[in-house]
Amino acid sequence: MTAFEPSDITMMVVDDEQSVRQSLEAWFQDDGYTVLTAENAAEALKRLQSAQIDIILLDIKMPGMDGLALQDRIREFNKDVIIIIITAFGTVDTAVRALKAGAFDYTTKPVDPDELSLIVRNAVDRIRLERENAALKESLDHLQYIDDIVGESVQMQKVFELVRTVAPTESNVLILGESGTGKELIARAIHMNSKRKYFPIIPVNCGAIPETLLESELFGHEKGAFTGAQYRRKGKLEMARGGTLFLDEIGTLGLKQQVDLLRVIEDREFHRVGGERSVKADFRLICATNTDLSKAVHEGGFREDLFYRINVFTITLPALRERKSDIPLLAEHFLRRHATAMNRKVEHFSSEAMELLQQYDWPGNVRELVNAVERAVVINATGTIGADDLPLQMIRAPRPVHSDSSLAEVERRHIQHMLESNGWNISRTAEKLSIDRATLYHKIEKYGLKRPE
Amino acid sequence: MHNIRLIPLGARPRDVSFDQLCRDIEMIIPVRITQQDLPSDIDFALDASRKQYHSTELLARLLMTNPEGVHKIVGITPYDLFVPVLTFVFGQAQLNNRAAVFSTFRLHNEFYGLPHSSEQLDSRCLKEALHEIGHTYGLRHCIERPCVMNSSTYVEDIDLKPADFCLTCRAHIQSLF
Ligand SMILES: [Zn+2]
Ligand SMILES: [Zn+2]
């Protein structure tokens, strides 16, 4: 993202105290900036004549010409230079006058390191924007694959195509899919293939955080912002700076948080809870949900304006049962991974086990498959995963003899499944099916179902 | 092989395993760490009104110890550190020089009102140590990618970065050995 090096930015620290000049010089040198110092107004003006200076940190109270007067003189030389005022505690009104006279921002001594770095980052951003006339667009002609996204099915190829299309853009993305389909992996794939890849992707599971805590979790808070806020805390929005914010289970967001989020998306800035200073929002937003958001919009549980903001580009992940052709590939992939991680020599699935994996409906999707394979690797003793190594509900799942899905066939399979899962107890099965025992006997006879020996 | 001396300043930070820390650093960069057992007295650097220790003065004192055959000197202290213009610093190092110091004061979860986590404390200590050592080898803050040389003004920033150097920073350090 950075089109130039920090050393391309020259700062000047103007302060009459040597220890202040030295600490700030060292602090900014660690960040890689080029740093000059001046101990009074005359020296500062001399340096301005001989060097191209981008940012000036100016102590407002100095003997001789004070900071305010110096600021005016500097403006005569250089209209573009960014001036940040450093003021002693208690002279804030002077700082406000300096702001009115065109200072970029101000901070009070002793300076909070985080506040200082925030101000300087904002200043550097402004310089960057000014310098970046021609945006450097990184060409992304091939996708960086995330290891666990596996699939050769038509459905997954379509998903990859969408990821490839949207990743290099800055579009907000909404990922839809049942739980366990790998929505976070897709979000990571988009991030990894975007120009934000060197910055973090910050995932937040909105559904897992109590609504009362979510605000400070997202926006951060200042010390004393509310009872119990003894310490300042950085929010996820701020941590995602430069990178991607991934909001999972966006459908669970309360209406108040929806308003807050909408405002951030529109204003591109926000405040920490209890904070005065606005923080620039610099993240790409990816949201995910397993609920029907448009229905929620219709019913008033989700704001329509927010829905359109987050749903600029939609990627729908197929359920695993809709892409059963990928199951062998996925199963082998997770088998290799778990066998390596657990240092076990398990290399194959028996054909019977693989058949079971492909027949099962996987209500928990890929996550359930991962768990099943992991469990199988743990309990397997032979080196080849057999049917016995798989979870019981899969072994018991109805095994279609042929792929007939006529109503009669569906009924037959369902009754057989219910009988098996109730241990062929006729009364209990009849009750579960909401039919009487006589009808159940009749159906058993009709479909030729047999109790296993 | 470069020798780095780890010196406890003022007191040994509680809950921090020095042996573990040394081993972890040695796993990541090819150096040998030796420890000094007795904590050095640092009252001279205390600013009584701020109840903090002046880290630049600690660096000067570390340099004066000048242990033989040692390339870098790293001080570790349980006390809060500052430089005059800032409210606090996690640590300070001489860029491309011998001495560095860091504090565990703000690395404890308890400081933020959270329950103790030795796992988090260990990992934060390791990252701070590597970060300050990186500065002594001439590295500046790394902004391009995940790296222990990313700058941190918040403990959350420390948690977010890896306990390792990115390829560019690693290449720089290795070119010096
Ligand atoms: Zn640093
Ligand atoms: Zn680096």
Side-chain angles (χ1 to χ4, degrees):
Chain A
M1 294 262 308
T2 36
F4 56 82
E5 298 285 316
S7 60
D8 294 342
I9 290 187
T10 304
M11 301 212 192
M12 177 165 66
V13 178
V14 188
D15 198 305
D16 56 317
E17 275 179 81
Q18 195 201 8
S19 67
V20 170
R21 290 198 303 276
Q22 278 175 348
S23 336
L24 287 181
E25 183 180 20
W27 167 268
F28 288 120
Q29 274 174 348
D30 281 353
D31 281 337
Y33 299 117
T34 305
V35 192
L36 307 171
T37 62
E39 69 176 296
N40 53 43
E43 200 181 338
L45 290 168
K46 207 165 80 201
R47 292 212 180 280
L48 266 170
Q49 285 176 306
S50 54
Q52 162 66 41
I53 291 169
D54 303 296
I55 300 173
I56 299 177
L57 284 109
L58 185 55
D59 184 0
I60 209 156
K61 235 176 141 193
M62 287 186 299
M65 189 190 294
D66 79 0
L68 273 183
L70 178 57
Q71 175 171 288
D72 291 343
R73 285 292 302 280
I74 291 171
R75 285 275 171 250
E76 290 171 21
F77 278 99
N78 188 331
K79 290 225 169 343
D80 299 327
V81 66
I82 290 181
I83 298 175
I84 297 166
I85 299 290
I86 301 179
T87 158
F89 188 72
T91 56
V92 174
D93 45 331
T94 330
V96 172
R97 274 198 286 147
L99 286 182
K100 284 193 179 138
F104 181 75
D105 210 335
Y106 79 93
T107 178
T108 27
K109 270 187 201 174
V111 182
D112 181 284
D114 180 63
E115 182 171 303
L116 184 59
S117 69
L118 190 65
I119 294 173
V120 170
R121 271 185 339 220
N122 285 342
V124 170
D125 278 345
R126 183 155 107 180
I127 297 170
R128 181 174 74 189
L129 280 178
E130 281 163 7
R131 289 194 197 171
E132 264 179 9
N133 302 328
L136 205 111
K137 285 239 163 91
E138 207 172 333
S139 72
L140 289 159
D141 38 22
H142 66 282
L143 263 187
Q144 279 208 15
Y145 284 98
I146 299 254
D147 205 28
D148 278 346
I149 307 178
V150 175
E152 287 176 350
S153 59
V154 183
Q155 293 94 320
M156 284 312 282
Q157 290 308 315
K158 197 175 152 222
V159 168
F160 294 148
E161 189 53 46
L162 292 174
V163 169
R164 210 181 329 244
T165 309
V166 79
T169 74
E170 283 281 290
S171 273
N172 293 342
V173 181
L174 181 63
I175 303 172
L176 306 175
E178 293 179 9
S179 30
T181 45
K183 296 188 286 292
E184 179 163 350
L185 289 177
I186 293 298
R188 287 186 184 278
I190 294 171
H191 175 73
M192 290 287 290
N193 288 284
S194 76
K195 57 188 182 200
R196 295 175 171 271
K197 64 186 166 191
Y198 294 129
F199 292 82
I201 173 167
I202 303 289
V204 182
N205 186 339
C206 302
I209 302 165
E211 198 174 325
T212 45
L213 296 183
L214 192 61
E215 187 177 15
S216 100
E217 185 76 18
L218 289 177
F219 297 96
H221 63 250
E222 296 291 338
K223 187 173 168 177
F226 48 84
T227 342
Q230 278 174 287
Y231 305 97
R232 189 161 53 175
R233 187 146 187 271
K234 204 171 196 172
K236 303 286 190 197
L237 263 59
E238 217 171 324
M239 289 164 80
R241 198 192 140 78
T244 302
L245 181 69
F246 174 57
L247 298 181
D248 202 357
E249 291 192 42
I250 186 81
T252 64
L253 217 56
L255 284 169
K256 157 106 174 51
Q257 271 86 36
Q258 293 179 26
V259 176
D260 293 343
L261 183 61
L262 181 67
R263 194 163 298 153
V264 178
I265 297 173
E266 285 176 347
D267 299 348
R268 305 305 296 170
E269 63 177 30
F270 61 93
H271 292 83
R272 294 175 185 157
V273 179
E276 306 260 290
R277 198 181 294 284
S278 69
V279 181
K280 240 186 78 194
D282 176 13
F283 55 80
R284 186 218 201 131
L285 184 63
I286 302 181
C287 300
T289 181
N290 56 13
T291 57
D292 186 348
L293 271 192
S294 44
K295 190 165 153 231
V297 167
H298 193 68
E299 290 167 355
F302 202 87
R303 292 183 66 101
E304 190 173 16
D305 42 10
L306 179 61
F307 177 68
Y308 286 115
R309 285 288 189 168
I310 63 175
N311 189 22
V312 176
F313 194 96
T314 318
I315 296 180
T316 306
L317 292 184
L320 187 52
R321 65 181 168 280
E322 292 162 359
R323 54 171 182 125
K324 285 194 164 177
S325 61
D326 280 336
I327 289 176
L329 207 64
L330 281 160
E332 303 279 357
H333 170 77
F334 295 124
L335 175 62
R336 271 195 304 278
R337 196 177 76 182
H338 289 299
T340 312
M342 290 184 249
N343 199 18
R344 302 212 50 185
K345 207 171 156 50
V346 185
E347 288 171 342
H348 306 286
F349 292 91
S350 73
S351 54
E352 192 194 0
M354 188 56 89
E355 208 173 303
L356 281 173
L357 291 177
Q358 282 184 271
Q359 280 165 10
Y360 183 60
D361 259 355
W362 300 107
N365 290 299
V366 181
R367 191 179 301 142
E368 188 184 3
L369 175 63
V370 174
N371 293 340
V373 173
E374 181 177 9
R375 180 181 173 282
V377 172
V378 171
I379 60 178
N380 173 268
T382 61
T384 298
I385 289 177
D388 292 350
D389 297 327
L390 298 173
L392 229 49
Q393 77 268 20
M394 281 173 52
I395 300 174
R396 283 209 189 131
R399 302 179 200 178
V401 183
H402 48 82
S403 59
D404 183 354
S405 56
S406 67
L407 187 57
E409 174 59 19
V410 171
E411 184 180 70
R412 188 194 69 77
R413 273 192 269 161
H414 186 55
I415 290 172
Q416 181 177 21
H417 173 64
M418 293 305 283
L419 283 165
E420 284 173 5
S421 50
N422 287 293
W424 277 78
N425 180 316
I426 301 298
S427 302
R428 209 184 320 146
T429 307
E431 195 185 303
K432 285 269 168 64
L433 290 169
S434 305
I435 52 177
D436 57 43
R437 296 171 66 226
T439 311
L440 180 54
Y441 275 121
H442 178 71
K443 304 247 181 210
I444 290 173
E445 202 175 32
K446 175 179 163 195
Y447 294 125
L449 301 175
K450 287 214 171 61
R451 185 187 195 120
E453 302 299 310
Chain B
M1 172 123 49
H2 273 207
N3 283 315
I4 296 181
R5 170 67 54 88
L6 189 66
I7 300 182
L9 295 174
R12 290 175 84 88
R14 76 190 146 89
D15 300 332
V16 176
S17 160
F18 276 51
D19 293 340
Q20 179 71 41
L21 179 62
C22 295
R23 272 200 306 277
D24 288 347
I25 297 171
E26 287 170 348
M27 296 265 284
I28 291 164
I29 39 177
V31 294
R32 190 177 6 243
I33 316 268
T34 53
Q35 301 177 42
Q36 175 181 303
D37 295 332
L38 274 186
S40 310
D41 176 45
I42 54 167
D43 284 352
F44 64 92
L46 176 68
D47 181 320
S49 62
R50 298 182 58 144
K51 298 193 185 69
Q52 290 174 309
Y53 290 80
H54 190 333
S55 62
T56 318
E57 289 182 24
L58 293 179
L59 289 182
R61 178 59 64 93
L62 284 174
L63 279 178
M64 276 164 55
T65 63
N66 198 21
E68 210 170 305
V70 166
H71 297 81
K72 309 283 180 194
I73 316 162
V74 179
I76 170 171
T77 180
Y79 302 118
D80 203 17
L81 301 178
F82 79 101
V83 294
V85 73
L86 299 178
T87 49
F88 78 92
V89 290
F90 284 123
Q92 194 189 351
Q94 291 182 299
L95 196 62
N96 212 2
N97 209 317
R98 284 188 82 193
V101 59
F102 70 98
S103 156
T104 60
F105 190 81
R106 289 167 194 262
L107 303 184
H108 291 271
N109 261 354
E110 293 89 323
F111 180 81
Y112 305 94
L114 299 170
H116 173 76
S117 158
S118 50
E119 201 180 315
Q120 278 184 309
L121 178 63
D122 287 344
S123 123
R124 289 167 187 166
C125 282
L126 174 62
K127 291 173 188 177
E128 271 310 288
L130 290 171
H131 181 98
E132 301 306 342
I133 291 171
H135 280 318
T136 65
Y137 282 111
L139 288 175
R140 293 167 191 273
H141 288 155
C142 180
I143 50 171
E144 284 293 310
R145 50 200 75 222
C147 175
V148 77
M149 293 312 293
N150 299 151
S151 92
S152 310
T153 52
Y154 261 87
V155 81
E156 286 92 345
D157 292 331
I158 300 179
D159 290 341
L160 211 56
K161 64 188 180 186
D164 201 353
F165 297 92
C166 71
L167 291 178
T168 315
C169 293
R170 173 166 291 281
H172 170 84
I173 287 194
Q174 253 146 10
S175 71
L176 303 173
F177 293 139

